[in-house]
């Protein structure tokens, strides 16, 4: 069986991550990864084009070496910042004759939503179906192979972003020699890290990165709303630097080695020495001393998150909270949030070999988004359950599908091998299948006890 690969590019607040993976059974098998820390990115956006470009190129190269795959086509993750979420209903009509719904029909009804966008400064980066309706009678999550005579409609969520922000990120990524097949917003991606029960009951994902904390709430099986706050790991380090009178770099190291977010569990015996600014002799602090600083800052971050949730009209999170992102590595952070709310709290860490760190959540979730839309739109079906003579099903098409951003760059339509897309058997060969990915669905410290009642 010829294999297909998905490549995601995650431009975070402090680093670029690239993950190469393949669909395997009901999950993803990671083939290779790359990560490069950089100062060319700020709040998930390009701050210095040349520095960011170098970091992206370097990360892609690392992933190529690790995976043995020549990377040409990628899925790009976009942060929640500068984006908005809308609900849209759209339908396509049939002529009264019986029509078996295919992936092409689903693609058409989703594309129709994109075509409605007339704003010059706003770009649709995500169209994700909540529910389809066949002939205004049957509500289904996947209408393929059903028969309609009148119409196929979709109740969809639409994620938009400021056009200039999107274009600059795409320009930087594609200047590194790769082609962006599609863009997926974290607002949509986070749903893949939740269990079906969590998505149904109502769960809040809190991704604490370096400069941004992203918040997304899901209920009744789909995204409800998402937003962000400009406070995250770097603010914690800044407060440590100020409190201990040390440099920011030293504060980062101290946080990583001795940091603890829950004062009650921090150790008085775990002692470390630091050299303060304009001082010669080192000064000793305990983990308890350090935790006194960290806990206050992390509490403030959580309080800002609670404010966001209240602005969304939420006062109870039945499915609990899921923490992820690089700063969720901090000891005691789960215990602190658990002490502040009544709902259950867990930390999500990807389970795939090579990326078992919460900072890789966005990258692997982007691949999950790509796979889901490939299957929904019938781009490719991969069977990894047995090793018999079954081959993948690729729909025969004479016309190549357009990229989601053909209109943006007026690029000619290309044909690519379905999913990312370099063959394992020949990593230097260009895509062989005639399916180009189209726009898929996208495509105040010490207040813990008081906050217990917020989500009762």
């Amino acid at each position: 069986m010829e294999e297909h690969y998905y490549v995601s590019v995650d431009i975070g607040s402090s680093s670029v991550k690239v993950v190469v993976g393949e669909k395997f059974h009901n999950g993803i098998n990671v083939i290779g990864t790359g990560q490069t820390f950089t100062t060319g990115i700020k709040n998930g956006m390009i701050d210095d084009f040349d520095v960011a470009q170098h970091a992206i190129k370097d990360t892609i190269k690392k992933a190529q070496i690790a995976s043995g795959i020549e990377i040409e086509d990628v899925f790009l993750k976009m942060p929640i910042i500068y984006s908005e979420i809308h609900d849209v209903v759209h339908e396509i009509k049939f002529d009264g004759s019986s029509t078996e719904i295919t992936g092409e029909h689903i693609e058409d009804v989703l594309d129709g939503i994109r075509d409605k966008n007339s704003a010059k400064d706003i770009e649709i980066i995500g169209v994700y179906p909540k529910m389809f309706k066949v002939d205004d009678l049957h509500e289904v999550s996947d209408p393929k192979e059903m028969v309609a005579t009148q119409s196929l409609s979709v109740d969809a969520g639409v994620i938009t972003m400021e056009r200039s922000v999107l274009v600059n990120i795409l320009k930087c990524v594609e200047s590194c020699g790769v082609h962006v097949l599609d863009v997926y917003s974290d607002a949509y991606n986070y749903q893949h890290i939740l269990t079906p029960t969590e998505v149904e009951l109502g769960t809040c994902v809190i991704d604490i990165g370096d400069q941004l904390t992203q918040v997304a709430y899901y209920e009744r099986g789909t995204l409800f709303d998402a937003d962000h706050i400009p406070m995250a790991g770097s603010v914690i380090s800044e407060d440590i630097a100020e409190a201990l009178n040390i440099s920011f770099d030293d504060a980062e190291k101290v946080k990583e080695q001795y940091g603890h977010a829950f004062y009650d569990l921090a150790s008085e015996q775990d002692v470390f020495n630091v050299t303060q600014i304009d001082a010669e002799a080192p000064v000793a602090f305990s983990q308890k001393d350090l935790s006194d600083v960290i806990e206050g800052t992390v509490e403030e971050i959580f309080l800002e998150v609670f404010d966001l949730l209240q602005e969304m009209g939420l006062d109870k999170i039945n499915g609990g909270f899921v923490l992820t992102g690089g700063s969720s590595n901090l000891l005691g952070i789960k215990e602190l949030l658990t002490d502040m709310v009544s709902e259950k709290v867990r930390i999500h860490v990807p389970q795939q070999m090579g990326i078992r760190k919460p900072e890789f959540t966005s990258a692997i979730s982007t691949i999950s988004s790509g796979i889901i839309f490939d299957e929904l739109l019938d781009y490719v079906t991969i069977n990894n359950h047995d090793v018999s003579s079954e081959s993948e099903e690729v729909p025969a098409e004479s016309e190549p599908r357009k990229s989601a951003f053909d209109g943006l760059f007026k690029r000619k339509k290309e044909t690519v091998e379905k999913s990312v897309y370099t063959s394992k058997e020949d990593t230097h060969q260009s895509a062989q299948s005639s399916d180009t990915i189209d726009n898929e669905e996208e495509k105040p410290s010490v207040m813990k006890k008081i906050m217990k009642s917020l989500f009762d």
Side-chain angles (χ1 to χ4, degrees), residues 359-390:
E359 52 264 42
F360 277 94
T361 292
S362 287
I364 195 68
S365 296
T366 301
I367 291 180
S368 295
S369 293
I371 291 174
I372 284 175
F373 275 92
D374 275 358
E375 294 177 339
L376 177 64
L377 302 180
D378 246 356
Y379 283 147
V380 67
T381 299
I382 302 175
N383 185 348
N384 284 324
H385 290 277
D386 53 70
V387 292
S388 64
S389 59
E390 290 231 75

PDB file of all heavy atoms in Angstrom, residues 359-390:
ATOM      1  N   GLU A 359       3.522  20.958  24.485  1.00  0.00           N
ATOM      2  CA  GLU A 359       3.748  22.008  23.502  1.00  0.00           C
ATOM      3  C   GLU A 359       3.531  21.531  22.064  1.00  0.00           C
ATOM      4  O   GLU A 359       3.449  22.342  21.131  1.00  0.00           O
ATOM      5  CB  GLU A 359       5.150  22.602  23.628  1.00  0.00           C
ATOM      6  CG  GLU A 359       6.273  21.602  23.631  1.00  0.00           C
ATOM      7  CD  GLU A 359       6.715  21.235  25.031  1.00  0.00           C
ATOM      8  OE1 GLU A 359       5.845  21.037  25.907  1.00  0.00           O
ATOM      9  OE2 GLU A 359       7.940  21.160  25.256  1.00  0.00           O
ATOM     10  N   PHE A 360       3.428  20.204  21.859  1.00  0.00           N
ATOM     11  CA  PHE A 360       3.183  19.670  20.522  1.00  0.00           C
ATOM     12  C   PHE A 360       1.697  19.426  20.248  1.00  0.00           C
ATOM     13  O   PHE A 360       1.341  18.901  19.193  1.00  0.00           O
ATOM     14  CB  PHE A 360       3.961  18.364  20.323  1.00  0.00           C
ATOM     15  CG  PHE A 360       5.391  18.579  19.922  1.00  0.00           C
ATOM     16  CD1 PHE A 360       6.388  18.619  20.889  1.00  0.00           C
ATOM     17  CD2 PHE A 360       5.747  18.753  18.593  1.00  0.00           C
ATOM     18  CE1 PHE A 360       7.704  18.817  20.543  1.00  0.00           C
ATOM     19  CE2 PHE A 360       7.066  18.955  18.230  1.00  0.00           C
ATOM     20  CZ  PHE A 360       8.061  18.985  19.202  1.00  0.00           C
ATOM     21  N   THR A 361       0.839  19.818  21.180  1.00  0.00           N
ATOM     22  CA  THR A 361      -0.591  19.573  21.007  1.00  0.00           C
ATOM     23  C   THR A 361      -1.146  20.217  19.742  1.00  0.00           C
ATOM     24  O   THR A 361      -1.896  19.589  18.977  1.00  0.00           O
ATOM     25  CB  THR A 361      -1.369  20.075  22.240  1.00  0.00           C
ATOM     26  OG1 THR A 361      -1.048  19.260  23.366  1.00  0.00           O
ATOM     27  CG2 THR A 361      -2.861  20.047  21.998  1.00  0.00           C
ATOM     28  N   SER A 362      -0.805  21.483  19.495  1.00  0.00           N
ATOM     29  CA  SER A 362      -1.347  22.174  18.313  1.00  0.00           C
ATOM     30  C   SER A 362      -0.886  21.527  17.025  1.00  0.00           C
ATOM     31  O   SER A 362      -1.662  21.379  16.070  1.00  0.00           O
ATOM     32  CB  SER A 362      -0.933  23.653  18.334  1.00  0.00           C
ATOM     33  OG  SER A 362      -1.658  24.360  19.307  1.00  0.00           O
ATOM     34  N   ALA A 363       0.383  21.135  16.974  1.00  0.00           N
ATOM     35  CA  ALA A 363       0.928  20.558  15.744  1.00  0.00           C
ATOM     36  C   ALA A 363       0.252  19.243  15.389  1.00  0.00           C
ATOM     37  O   ALA A 363      -0.135  19.017  14.233  1.00  0.00           O
ATOM     38  CB  ALA A 363       2.435  20.366  15.887  1.00  0.00           C
ATOM     39  N   ILE A 364       0.104  18.355  16.369  1.00  0.00           N
ATOM     40  CA  ILE A 364      -0.507  17.060  16.071  1.00  0.00           C
ATOM     41  C   ILE A 364      -2.007  17.219  15.827  1.00  0.00           C
ATOM     42  O   ILE A 364      -2.585  16.498  15.010  1.00  0.00           O
ATOM     43  CB  ILE A 364      -0.225  16.052  17.205  1.00  0.00           C
ATOM     44  CG1 ILE A 364      -0.528  14.625  16.735  1.00  0.00           C
ATOM     45  CG2 ILE A 364      -0.980  16.399  18.468  1.00  0.00           C
ATOM     46  CD1 ILE A 364       0.408  14.106  15.674  1.00  0.00           C
ATOM     47  N   SER A 365      -2.642  18.186  16.481  1.00  0.00           N
ATOM     48  CA  SER A 365      -4.075  18.419  16.261  1.00  0.00           C
ATOM     49  C   SER A 365      -4.341  18.956  14.869  1.00  0.00           C
ATOM     50  O   SER A 365      -5.411  18.711  14.286  1.00  0.00           O
ATOM     51  CB  SER A 365      -4.626  19.383  17.316  1.00  0.00           C
ATOM     52  OG  SER A 365      -4.538  18.829  18.610  1.00  0.00           O
ATOM     53  N   THR A 366      -3.384  19.691  14.321  1.00  0.00           N
ATOM     54  CA  THR A 366      -3.522  20.185  12.951  1.00  0.00           C
ATOM     55  C   THR A 366      -3.561  19.030  11.968  1.00  0.00           C
ATOM     56  O   THR A 366      -4.332  19.034  10.995  1.00  0.00           O
ATOM     57  CB  THR A 366      -2.373  21.148  12.610  1.00  0.00           C
ATOM     58  OG1 THR A 366      -2.397  22.250  13.524  1.00  0.00           O
ATOM     59  CG2 THR A 366      -2.488  21.679  11.191  1.00  0.00           C
ATOM     60  N   ILE A 367      -2.737  18.021  12.218  1.00  0.00           N
ATOM     61  CA  ILE A 367      -2.766  16.830  11.371  1.00  0.00           C
ATOM     62  C   ILE A 367      -4.109  16.127  11.496  1.00  0.00           C
ATOM     63  O   ILE A 367      -4.685  15.664  10.497  1.00  0.00           O
ATOM     64  CB  ILE A 367      -1.603  15.887  11.732  1.00  0.00           C
ATOM     65  CG1 ILE A 367      -0.266  16.524  11.312  1.00  0.00           C
ATOM     66  CG2 ILE A 367      -1.773  14.525  11.067  1.00  0.00           C
ATOM     67  CD1 ILE A 367       0.939  15.682  11.620  1.00  0.00           C
ATOM     68  N   SER A 368      -4.633  16.050  12.712  1.00  0.00           N
ATOM     69  CA  SER A 368      -5.948  15.439  12.909  1.00  0.00           C
ATOM     70  C   SER A 368      -7.015  16.160  12.091  1.00  0.00           C
ATOM     71  O   SER A 368      -7.893  15.522  11.488  1.00  0.00           O
ATOM     72  CB  SER A 368      -6.332  15.469  14.391  1.00  0.00           C
ATOM     73  OG  SER A 368      -5.464  14.676  15.168  1.00  0.00           O
ATOM     74  N   SER A 369      -6.940  17.494  12.050  1.00  0.00           N
ATOM     75  CA  SER A 369      -7.894  18.263  11.249  1.00  0.00           C
ATOM     76  C   SER A 369      -7.783  17.906   9.778  1.00  0.00           C
ATOM     77  O   SER A 369      -8.794  17.735   9.081  1.00  0.00           O
ATOM     78  CB  SER A 369      -7.660  19.766  11.449  1.00  0.00           C
ATOM     79  OG  SER A 369      -7.968  20.166  12.760  1.00  0.00           O
ATOM     80  N   GLY A 370      -6.552  17.787   9.288  1.00  0.00           N
ATOM     81  CA  GLY A 370      -6.352  17.433   7.892  1.00  0.00           C
ATOM     82  C   GLY A 370      -6.942  16.077   7.552  1.00  0.00           C
ATOM     83  O   GLY A 370      -7.593  15.901   6.505  1.00  0.00           O
ATOM     84  N   ILE A 371      -6.725  15.106   8.411  1.00  0.00           N
ATOM     85  CA  ILE A 371      -7.251  13.767   8.170  1.00  0.00           C
ATOM     86  C   ILE A 371      -8.777  13.762   8.171  1.00  0.00           C
ATOM     87  O   ILE A 371      -9.419  13.146   7.310  1.00  0.00           O
ATOM     88  CB  ILE A 371      -6.708  12.792   9.233  1.00  0.00           C
ATOM     89  CG1 ILE A 371      -5.199  12.577   9.030  1.00  0.00           C
ATOM     90  CG2 ILE A 371      -7.453  11.455   9.176  1.00  0.00           C
ATOM     91  CD1 ILE A 371      -4.544  11.752  10.111  1.00  0.00           C
ATOM     92  N   ILE A 372      -9.378  14.449   9.137  1.00  0.00           N
ATOM     93  CA  ILE A 372     -10.833  14.478   9.243  1.00  0.00           C
ATOM     94  C   ILE A 372     -11.475  15.052   7.987  1.00  0.00           C
ATOM     95  O   ILE A 372     -12.466  14.529   7.463  1.00  0.00           O
ATOM     96  CB  ILE A 372     -11.259  15.282  10.486  1.00  0.00           C
ATOM     97  CG1 ILE A 372     -11.020  14.438  11.742  1.00  0.00           C
ATOM     98  CG2 ILE A 372     -12.714  15.723  10.392  1.00  0.00           C
ATOM     99  CD1 ILE A 372     -11.290  15.167  13.031  1.00  0.00           C
ATOM    100  N   PHE A 373     -10.906  16.127   7.457  1.00  0.00           N
ATOM    101  CA  PHE A 373     -11.497  16.718   6.262  1.00  0.00           C
ATOM    102  C   PHE A 373     -11.193  15.909   5.017  1.00  0.00           C
ATOM    103  O   PHE A 373     -11.997  15.888   4.083  1.00  0.00           O
ATOM    104  CB  PHE A 373     -11.064  18.172   6.121  1.00  0.00           C
ATOM    105  CG  PHE A 373     -11.936  19.094   6.916  1.00  0.00           C
ATOM    106  CD1 PHE A 373     -11.597  19.433   8.208  1.00  0.00           C
ATOM    107  CD2 PHE A 373     -13.109  19.581   6.398  1.00  0.00           C
ATOM    108  CE1 PHE A 373     -12.416  20.249   8.969  1.00  0.00           C
ATOM    109  CE2 PHE A 373     -13.943  20.396   7.139  1.00  0.00           C
ATOM    110  CZ  PHE A 373     -13.589  20.738   8.430  1.00  0.00           C
ATOM    111  N   ASP A 374     -10.063  15.243   4.974  1.00  0.00           N
ATOM    112  CA  ASP A 374      -9.796  14.339   3.858  1.00  0.00           C
ATOM    113  C   ASP A 374     -10.866  13.261   3.777  1.00  0.00           C
ATOM    114  O   ASP A 374     -11.370  12.926   2.704  1.00  0.00           O
ATOM    115  CB  ASP A 374      -8.426  13.680   4.033  1.00  0.00           C
ATOM    116  CG  ASP A 374      -7.310  14.545   3.501  1.00  0.00           C
ATOM    117  OD1 ASP A 374      -7.597  15.626   2.974  1.00  0.00           O
ATOM    118  OD2 ASP A 374      -6.140  14.131   3.612  1.00  0.00           O
ATOM    119  N   GLU A 375     -11.224  12.717   4.934  1.00  0.00           N
ATOM    120  CA  GLU A 375     -12.214  11.651   4.960  1.00  0.00           C
ATOM    121  C   GLU A 375     -13.618  12.186   4.678  1.00  0.00           C
ATOM    122  O   GLU A 375     -14.407  11.564   3.963  1.00  0.00           O
ATOM    123  CB  GLU A 375     -12.174  10.939   6.313  1.00  0.00           C
ATOM    124  CG  GLU A 375     -10.856  10.200   6.529  1.00  0.00           C
ATOM    125  CD  GLU A 375     -10.765   9.556   7.898  1.00  0.00           C
ATOM    126  OE1 GLU A 375     -11.510   9.986   8.803  1.00  0.00           O
ATOM    127  OE2 GLU A 375      -9.954   8.624   8.058  1.00  0.00           O
ATOM    128  N   LEU A 376     -13.938  13.361   5.220  1.00  0.00           N
ATOM    129  CA  LEU A 376     -15.251  13.942   4.999  1.00  0.00           C
ATOM    130  C   LEU A 376     -15.478  14.274   3.532  1.00  0.00           C
ATOM    131  O   LEU A 376     -16.549  14.034   2.975  1.00  0.00           O
ATOM    132  CB  LEU A 376     -15.425  15.206   5.850  1.00  0.00           C
ATOM    133  CG  LEU A 376     -16.739  15.979   5.669  1.00  0.00           C
ATOM    134  CD1 LEU A 376     -17.923  15.118   6.119  1.00  0.00           C
ATOM    135  CD2 LEU A 376     -16.701  17.289   6.445  1.00  0.00           C
ATOM    136  N   LEU A 377     -14.452  14.811   2.884  1.00  0.00           N
ATOM    137  CA  LEU A 377     -14.584  15.230   1.486  1.00  0.00           C
ATOM    138  C   LEU A 377     -14.213  14.122   0.508  1.00  0.00           C
ATOM    139  O   LEU A 377     -14.149  14.340  -0.690  1.00  0.00           O
ATOM    140  CB  LEU A 377     -13.713  16.467   1.232  1.00  0.00           C
ATOM    141  CG  LEU A 377     -14.023  17.685   2.105  1.00  0.00           C
ATOM    142  CD1 LEU A 377     -13.114  18.847   1.762  1.00  0.00           C
ATOM    143  CD2 LEU A 377     -15.478  18.098   1.968  1.00  0.00           C
ATOM    144  N   ASP A 378     -13.932  12.919   1.054  1.00  0.00           N
ATOM    145  CA  ASP A 378     -13.630  11.771   0.199  1.00  0.00           C
ATOM    146  C   ASP A 378     -12.351  11.946  -0.609  1.00  0.00           C
ATOM    147  O   ASP A 378     -12.248  11.440  -1.732  1.00  0.00           O
ATOM    148  CB  ASP A 378     -14.789  11.498  -0.782  1.00  0.00           C
ATOM    149  CG  ASP A 378     -15.461  10.176  -0.479  1.00  0.00           C
ATOM    150  OD1 ASP A 378     -14.967   9.468   0.418  1.00  0.00           O
ATOM    151  OD2 ASP A 378     -16.466   9.856  -1.130  1.00  0.00           O
ATOM    152  N   TYR A 379     -11.402  12.688  -0.073  1.00  0.00           N
ATOM    153  CA  TYR A 379     -10.140  12.845  -0.795  1.00  0.00           C
ATOM    154  C   TYR A 379      -9.346  11.552  -0.798  1.00  0.00           C
ATOM    155  O   TYR A 379      -8.705  11.195  -1.764  1.00  0.00           O
ATOM    156  CB  TYR A 379      -9.282  13.931  -0.138  1.00  0.00           C
ATOM    157  CG  TYR A 379      -9.719  15.328  -0.456  1.00  0.00           C
ATOM    158  CD1 TYR A 379      -9.567  16.340   0.489  1.00  0.00           C
ATOM    159  CD2 TYR A 379     -10.280  15.642  -1.682  1.00  0.00           C
ATOM    160  CE1 TYR A 379      -9.960  17.637   0.200  1.00  0.00           C
ATOM    161  CE2 TYR A 379     -10.678  16.940  -1.964  1.00  0.00           C
ATOM    162  CZ  TYR A 379     -10.518  17.929  -1.019  1.00  0.00           C
ATOM    163  OH  TYR A 379     -10.910  19.199  -1.295  1.00  0.00           O
ATOM    164  N   VAL A 380      -9.380  10.857   0.330  1.00  0.00           N
ATOM    165  CA  VAL A 380      -8.598   9.633   0.418  1.00  0.00           C
ATOM    166  C   VAL A 380      -9.142   8.773   1.543  1.00  0.00           C
ATOM    167  O   VAL A 380      -9.649   9.272   2.540  1.00  0.00           O
ATOM    168  CB  VAL A 380      -7.101   9.942   0.682  1.00  0.00           C
ATOM    169  CG1 VAL A 380      -6.902  10.553   2.049  1.00  0.00           C
ATOM    170  CG2 VAL A 380      -6.258   8.679   0.541  1.00  0.00           C
ATOM    171  N   THR A 381      -9.077   7.483   1.342  1.00  0.00           N
ATOM    172  CA  THR A 381      -9.415   6.543   2.395  1.00  0.00           C
ATOM    173  C   THR A 381      -8.218   5.634   2.594  1.00  0.00           C
ATOM    174  O   THR A 381      -7.751   4.993   1.647  1.00  0.00           O
ATOM    175  CB  THR A 381     -10.642   5.684   2.011  1.00  0.00           C
ATOM    176  OG1 THR A 381     -11.750   6.564   1.805  1.00  0.00           O
ATOM    177  CG2 THR A 381     -10.974   4.699   3.110  1.00  0.00           C
ATOM    178  N   ILE A 382      -7.694   5.576   3.791  1.00  0.00           N
ATOM    179  CA  ILE A 382      -6.513   4.772   4.070  1.00  0.00           C
ATOM    180  C   ILE A 382      -6.891   3.642   5.006  1.00  0.00           C
ATOM    181  O   ILE A 382      -7.485   3.863   6.049  1.00  0.00           O
ATOM    182  CB  ILE A 382      -5.399   5.623   4.706  1.00  0.00           C
ATOM    183  CG1 ILE A 382      -5.049   6.785   3.770  1.00  0.00           C
ATOM    184  CG2 ILE A 382      -4.159   4.793   4.979  1.00  0.00           C
ATOM    185  CD1 ILE A 382      -4.047   7.742   4.365  1.00  0.00           C
ATOM    186  N   ASN A 383      -6.576   2.423   4.627  1.00  0.00           N
ATOM    187  CA  ASN A 383      -6.886   1.271   5.462  1.00  0.00           C
ATOM    188  C   ASN A 383      -5.600   0.687   6.009  1.00  0.00           C
ATOM    189  O   ASN A 383      -4.834   0.071   5.279  1.00  0.00           O
ATOM    190  CB  ASN A 383      -7.634   0.219   4.624  1.00  0.00           C
ATOM    191  CG  ASN A 383      -8.088  -0.955   5.462  1.00  0.00           C
ATOM    192  OD1 ASN A 383      -7.681  -1.109   6.616  1.00  0.00           O
ATOM    193  ND2 ASN A 383      -8.937  -1.786   4.873  1.00  0.00           N
ATOM    194  N   ASN A 384      -5.357   0.901   7.280  1.00  0.00           N
ATOM    195  CA  ASN A 384      -4.156   0.352   7.914  1.00  0.00           C
ATOM    196  C   ASN A 384      -4.500  -0.793   8.865  1.00  0.00           C
ATOM    197  O   ASN A 384      -3.673  -1.227   9.641  1.00  0.00           O
ATOM    198  CB  ASN A 384      -3.435   1.445   8.709  1.00  0.00           C
ATOM    199  CG  ASN A 384      -2.674   2.378   7.798  1.00  0.00           C
ATOM    200  OD1 ASN A 384      -2.122   1.953   6.801  1.00  0.00           O
ATOM    201  ND2 ASN A 384      -2.671   3.658   8.131  1.00  0.00           N
ATOM    202  N   HIS A 385      -5.720  -1.291   8.782  1.00  0.00           N
ATOM    203  CA  HIS A 385      -6.137  -2.330   9.721  1.00  0.00           C
ATOM    204  C   HIS A 385      -5.648  -3.711   9.322  1.00  0.00           C
ATOM    205  O   HIS A 385      -5.484  -4.586  10.155  1.00  0.00           O
ATOM    206  CB  HIS A 385      -7.661  -2.343   9.858  1.00  0.00           C
ATOM    207  CG  HIS A 385      -8.182  -1.143  10.572  1.00  0.00           C
ATOM    208  ND1 HIS A 385      -8.205  -1.061  11.935  1.00  0.00           N
ATOM    209  CD2 HIS A 385      -8.660   0.035  10.114  1.00  0.00           C
ATOM    210  CE1 HIS A 385      -8.704   0.099  12.305  1.00  0.00           C
ATOM    211  NE2 HIS A 385      -8.980   0.785  11.215  1.00  0.00           N
ATOM    212  N   ASP A 386      -5.444  -3.933   8.040  1.00  0.00           N
ATOM    213  CA  ASP A 386      -4.917  -5.234   7.640  1.00  0.00           C
ATOM    214  C   ASP A 386      -3.931  -5.045   6.516  1.00  0.00           C
ATOM    215  O   ASP A 386      -3.833  -3.993   5.906  1.00  0.00           O
ATOM    216  CB  ASP A 386      -6.049  -6.172   7.200  1.00  0.00           C
ATOM    217  CG  ASP A 386      -6.942  -5.546   6.136  1.00  0.00           C
ATOM    218  OD1 ASP A 386      -6.454  -5.387   4.993  1.00  0.00           O
ATOM    219  OD2 ASP A 386      -8.088  -5.220   6.457  1.00  0.00           O
ATOM    220  N   VAL A 387      -3.175  -6.076   6.242  1.00  0.00           N
ATOM    221  CA  VAL A 387      -2.109  -5.987   5.245  1.00  0.00           C
ATOM    222  C   VAL A 387      -2.428  -6.838   4.027  1.00  0.00           C
ATOM    223  O   VAL A 387      -1.549  -7.315   3.345  1.00  0.00           O
ATOM    224  CB  VAL A 387      -0.763  -6.439   5.869  1.00  0.00           C
ATOM    225  CG1 VAL A 387      -0.310  -5.449   6.900  1.00  0.00           C
ATOM    226  CG2 VAL A 387      -0.890  -7.836   6.484  1.00  0.00           C
ATOM    227  N   SER A 388      -3.714  -7.023   3.752  1.00  0.00           N
ATOM    228  CA  SER A 388      -4.109  -7.786   2.585  1.00  0.00           C
ATOM    229  C   SER A 388      -3.991  -6.925   1.344  1.00  0.00           C
ATOM    230  O   SER A 388      -3.359  -5.875   1.348  1.00  0.00           O
ATOM    231  CB  SER A 388      -5.541  -8.290   2.751  1.00  0.00           C
ATOM    232  OG  SER A 388      -6.430  -7.200   2.813  1.00  0.00           O
ATOM    233  N   SER A 389      -4.647  -7.308   0.300  1.00  0.00           N
ATOM    234  CA  SER A 389      -4.486  -6.611  -0.978  1.00  0.00           C
ATOM    235  C   SER A 389      -5.345  -5.372  -1.096  1.00  0.00           C
ATOM    236  O   SER A 389      -5.440  -4.781  -2.155  1.00  0.00           O
ATOM    237  CB  SER A 389      -4.845  -7.572  -2.121  1.00  0.00           C
ATOM    238  OG  SER A 389      -6.177  -8.026  -1.967  1.00  0.00           O
ATOM    239  N   GLU A 390      -5.999  -4.959  -0.007  1.00  0.00           N
ATOM    240  CA  GLU A 390      -6.845  -3.763  -0.074  1.00  0.00           C
ATOM    241  C   GLU A 390      -6.013  -2.547  -0.378  1.00  0.00           C
ATOM    242  O   GLU A 390      -4.996  -2.303   0.236  1.00  0.00           O
ATOM    243  CB  GLU A 390      -7.558  -3.571   1.256  1.00  0.00           C
ATOM    244  CG  GLU A 390      -8.613  -4.627   1.501  1.00  0.00           C
ATOM    245  CD  GLU A 390      -9.913  -3.975   1.861  1.00  0.00           C
ATOM    246  OE1 GLU A 390     -10.556  -3.448   0.958  1.00  0.00           O
ATOM    247  OE2 GLU A 390     -10.270  -3.982   3.030  1.00  0.00           O
TER     248      GLU A 390
END
